[in-house]
Amino acid sequence: MFIIRLLRFLLGYAKFEATGVFCERFINLCSYNGIKIWGIIKKQEKIVAYILARDYKKLRRISKKTSMRPRVVGRYGLPFILRKFRARSGLFAGAVVAAVLIYTLSLSVWNIQIEGNNRVETAEIQSVLKNLGMTEGVRRDDIDTEKIRHELLLSMPELSWAAINLNGTSAVIEVSEAEPTDTNKDDTPCNIVAKSDGRIVSIDVYKGLSNVKEGDAVVKGDLLISGVVDHLNGTASFLRASGSVLAETESEISVRVDYNQIKRVRTGKVKTKRVLTFLGMEIPLYLSTEKDEYELELSSWTMNIGGVNMPVKINTGKFYFVENVGVTLSEDEALNQARQQIEGMEKSRYQSAEILERQEFVQYDEKGLILTVKYLCRENIGVEENILINDTE
């Protein structure tokens, strides 16, 4: 029954009424001539029924024989629905194109997500996947998930496990990172020597023999922990000494800042340029290139529908034009600049040290100033130094 209704809807049908005194003969002739009508209701000298739209013209010959007067009172089905939108053919065509485009896009992967990585950079994993053919725009049927997973693990020993899950137009790459291992398996005999001058605060020997004690003053290069062990039988063995030797050390950092400087400043002129990325293709939305000096700030927007990233991106670049301008700093401004430079150097140089004291000294002259900062630190001053063994016969 459903199939019959569906066919009638696709072909189109009409509701009609026929008026006259020979209603029964009209119905019989329709049946005799193979004209299918249904839903017949007789009301005195009138009948109401349904007929396929293509068969309605056949009623004219029968109506002349029976003196019946048919009249259409309703039209139904797909052909009549489409006829209503004939004047809006562009809208209908656009809907068809959109449906085809959506179906075509659904056959490819447009959103690649990487989950589970902490130490390994996402960009590094994306780069390896790209080399393996796993990129935005690749067709789902062309993705061999097991092969890509296997090659990803071979290419990145930092990963211990990986899985590729395809969900619609999205691909979720789940990974687990391998536990870091100590790759330093060098057993070359060595001593621990001082990397700088200082006064020993504490010493912990893990392997080897201590050559200093707490309170001793040492200079750069002095032996702290020996990797040579003498035995009672007069022989000696060599091992890789290890340990921690904390000492108080003194050091300093100096920087010079001139009053007269050249600085890059923004002129206030700004240009915005955009690049449209569609289906993996980059389409510049600008014509000219910039030759003047500028500072560039980038941003990106991705079309998202229902939480799913679409293959449409707009990358925006803001060009802030700059010029070199001569400026003269005051003493306070020069000092603040020097302190900022010292702060950056300090974080790098004393990253593993504890700063106990910090003293500033400033020297001024006609051109600028010199800022010197002296430090008293507590740090591990022990470094490895290989033992050279000469075998003679």
Side-chain angles (χ1 to χ4, degrees):
M1 192 67 180
F2 171 76
I3 298 299
I4 295 176
R5 290 180 180 178
L6 178 61
L7 289 174
R8 288 172 179 172
F9 174 80
L10 294 176
L11 296 173
Y13 61 96
K15 180 180 180 182
F16 72 95
E17 62 180 25
T19 305
V21 295
F22 300 106
C23 296
E24 289 81 0
R25 187 177 179 217
F26 177 83
I27 296 172
N28 291 335
L29 286 175
C30 285
S31 177
Y32 178 78
N33 288 276
I35 302 174
K36 297 185 180 296
I37 60 176
W38 69 92
I40 303 171
I41 300 176
K42 185 175 182 303
K43 298 179 180 179
Q44 298 178 355
E45 296 182 354
K46 179 174 71 173
I47 63 170
V48 178
Y50 294 90
I51 188 173
L52 290 176
R54 66 185 184 185
D55 292 338
Y56 183 75
K57 291 183 179 180
K58 298 177 182 179
L59 295 179
R60 293 178 182 177
R61 181 166 47 85
I62 297 175
S63 63
K64 289 180 180 179
K65 292 181 179 180
T66 59
S67 299
M68 298 288 288
R69 297 184 297 278
R71 182 174 66 90
V72 175
V73 295
R75 296 176 175 85
Y76 310 95
L78 183 61
F80 299 107
I81 295 176
L82 296 178
R83 185 177 297 177
K84 292 181 181 179
F85 293 97
R86 186 185 305 173
R88 300 179 180 178
S89 57
L91 179 64
F92 177 74
V96 173
V97 171
V100 173
L101 183 61
I102 291 174
Y103 173 75
T104 303
L105 294 178
S106 68
L107 300 178
S108 302
V109 171
W110 298 107
N111 183 30
I112 298 177
Q113 303 175 9
I114 298 175
E115 300 177 352
N117 58 309
N118 294 313
R119 296 184 301 274
V120 182
E121 294 292 336
T122 298
E124 186 179 352
I125 300 176
Q126 289 174 336
S127 177
V128 175
L129 289 172
K130 184 177 181 180
N131 293 333
L132 297 177
M134 188 73 179
T135 59
E136 293 180 352
V138 64
R139 290 180 63 87
R140 288 169 52 92
D141 294 342
D142 295 338
I143 299 175
D144 188 338
T145 57
E146 188 61 25
K147 179 181 178 181
I148 293 177
R149 184 191 75 83
H150 183 66
E151 293 185 0
L152 176 64
L153 294 177
L154 289 177
S155 302
M156 301 192 69
E158 306 95 322
L159 303 179
S160 61
W161 174 84
I164 301 176
N165 302 310
L166 300 179
N167 183 17
T169 60
S170 297
V172 179
I173 317 297
E174 299 181 17
V175 299
S176 291
E177 297 172 330
E179 292 296 326
T181 57
D182 184 10
T183 58
N184 183 16
K185 298 181 180 180
D186 189 2
D187 293 329
T188 304
C190 73
N191 295 320
I192 303 295
V193 299
K195 68 178 180 180
S196 60
D197 302 347
R199 186 181 64 84
I200 305 300
V201 175
S202 67
I203 180 168
D204 292 322
V205 179
Y206 310 141
K207 236 184 226 187
L209 297 175
S210 173
N211 199 55
V212 293
K213 60 181 182 300
E214 293 183 13
D216 286 353
V218 296
V219 297
K220 182 177 180 179
D222 280 355
L223 178 63
L224 303 178
I225 303 175
S226 175
V228 180
V229 179
D230 294 321
H231 301 287
L232 294 177
N233 60 5
T235 62
S237 60
F238 301 91
L239 50 81
R240 190 172 187 83
S242 63
S244 173
V245 183
L246 292 181
E248 289 183 354
T249 61
E250 294 181 354
S251 58
E252 65 179 41
I253 300 176
S254 293
V255 296
R256 178 179 179 82
V257 175
D258 292 330
Y259 297 137
N260 296 323
Q261 298 183 3
I262 301 296
K263 283 192 174 182
R264 286 162 58 95
V265 296
R266 294 183 177 182
T267 63
K269 180 182 176 183
V270 182
K271 280 190 178 181
T272 301
K273 297 184 179 182
R274 295 179 175 85
V275 175
L276 171 66
T277 302
F278 179 68
L279 300 179
M281 299 181 296
E282 292 189 351
I283 306 172
L285 304 181
Y286 59 89
L287 297 176
S288 61
T289 57
E290 304 304 330
K291 298 180 180 179
D292 297 332
E293 293 188 18
Y294 57 82
E295 293 176 355
L296 179 61
E297 293 182 2
L298 297 174
S299 60
S300 180
W301 174 84
T302 302
M303 180 182 290
N304 186 289
I305 300 178
V308 177
N309 288 337
M310 303 301 292
V312 179
K313 293 182 181 179
I314 295 180
N315 298 316
T316 302
K318 284 197 172 182
F319 295 76
Y320 295 90
F321 292 89
V322 297
E323 61 181 0
N324 294 325
V325 177
V327 296
T328 301
L329 303 181
S330 65
E331 289 185 354
D332 289 341
E333 290 173 336
L335 183 58
N336 287 334
Q337 189 179 108
R339 284 172 174 164
Q340 291 176 2
Q341 294 181 24
I342 290 284
E343 183 179 351
M345 299 168 67
E346 182 180 296
K347 288 181 179 178
S348 175
R349 185 175 298 185
Y350 301 111
Q351 186 175 11
S352 58
E354 177 187 358
I355 299 176
L356 303 177
E357 292 182 14
R358 186 178 185 276
Q359 293 181 317
E360 288 186 359
F361 300 91
V362 185
Q363 291 179 307
Y364 297 93
D365 56 35
E366 294 180 355
K367 294 184 178 180
L369 59 84
I370 299 175
L371 174 62
T372 301
V373 181
K374 294 187 176 182
Y375 298 89
L376 175 64
C377 300
R378 180 180 290 120
E379 59 182 317
N380 182 7
I381 64 170
V383 293
E384 296 176 349
E385 182 180 73
N386 288 341
I387 301 173
L388 299 179
I389 304 174
N390 294 320
D391 293 330
T392 59
E393 294 183 1

